[in-house]
């Protein structure tokens, strides 16, 4: 009787694009939507003027913002948020468009024994 050992399972990547090549991603989008629909969503000339996979790959590899837009389209398609007419049921915001939130300002008052307790900058304006 021989025993076989099962190798430990590798942890799954949290990146949804892990293992997906840019070429397969672009080919999937072109096959499902066509060049004109892609050009209407991402305004780049390689989708409009004489489009090809080769020229698009070259441009997307050199242009991070365009690549993020195409990756966002692909993720929306894979997750079912992108309809056949290229409208979205939900809009995923590309990381390039995410704006940082405002820093939170503490509303806490200093402790009574703190040197900041009677400091003029920490006093709240008097309301009459």
């Amino acid at each position: 009787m021989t025993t076989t050992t099962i190798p430990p399972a590798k942890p799954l990547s949290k990146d949804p694009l892990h293992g997906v090549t840019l070429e397969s991603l672009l080919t999937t989008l072109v096959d499902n939507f066509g060049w004109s629909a892609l050009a209407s969503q991402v305004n780049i000339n390689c989708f409009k003027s004489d489009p090809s996979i080769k020229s698009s790959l070259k441009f997307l590899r050199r242009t991070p913002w365009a690549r993020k837009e195409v990756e966002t389209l692909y993720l929306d398609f894979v997750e079912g948020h992108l309809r056949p007419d290229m409208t979205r049921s939900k809009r995923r915001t590309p990381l390039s468009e995410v704006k940082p939130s405002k820093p939170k300002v503490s509303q806490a008052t200093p402790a009574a024994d703190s040197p900041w307790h009677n400091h003029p900058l920490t006093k709240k304006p008097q309301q009459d």
Side-chain angles (χ1 to χ4, degrees):
M1 180 174 179
T2 59
T3 59
T4 57
T5 57
I6 300 172
K10 294 181 181 178
L12 296 175
S13 174
K14 291 183 181 180
D15 182 12
L17 293 174
H18 181 74
V20 179
T21 64
L22 186 58
E23 184 174 6
S24 67
L25 179 149
L26 187 60
T27 304
T28 301
L29 289 174
V30 170
D31 290 347
N32 285 286
F33 300 106
W35 290 109
S36 60
L38 286 176
S40 70
Q41 291 294 313
V42 184
N43 189 16
I44 53 179
N45 284 335
C46 64
F47 288 173
K48 294 178 181 179
S49 172
D50 194 26
S52 71
I53 296 289
K54 185 177 178 181
S55 67
S56 299
L57 286 173
K58 187 174 181 181
F59 179 78
L60 293 172
R61 287 182 180 131
R62 295 179 181 189
T63 316
W65 67 265
R67 182 178 183 145
K68 282 199 187 306
E69 290 292 322
V70 172
E71 288 173 347
T72 301
L73 275 176
Y74 177 78
L75 289 174
D76 284 346
F77 171 68
V78 169
E79 294 175 1
H81 302 306
L82 194 61
R83 297 185 184 116
D85 62 350
M86 293 294 274
T87 58
R88 292 182 171 102
S89 58
K90 285 184 176 178
R91 171 92 172 134
R92 176 191 302 269
T93 305
L95 294 176
S96 60
E97 294 180 10
V98 174
K99 295 184 174 117
S101 61
K102 292 182 180 179
K104 294 183 179 178
V105 178
S106 174
Q107 299 297 323
T109 57
D113 61 345
S114 168
W116 291 99
H117 180 65
N118 289 323
H119 195 278
L121 293 177
T122 61
K123 292 192 180 215
K124 295 187 179 180
Q126 298 286 332
Q127 293 181 356
D128 295 323

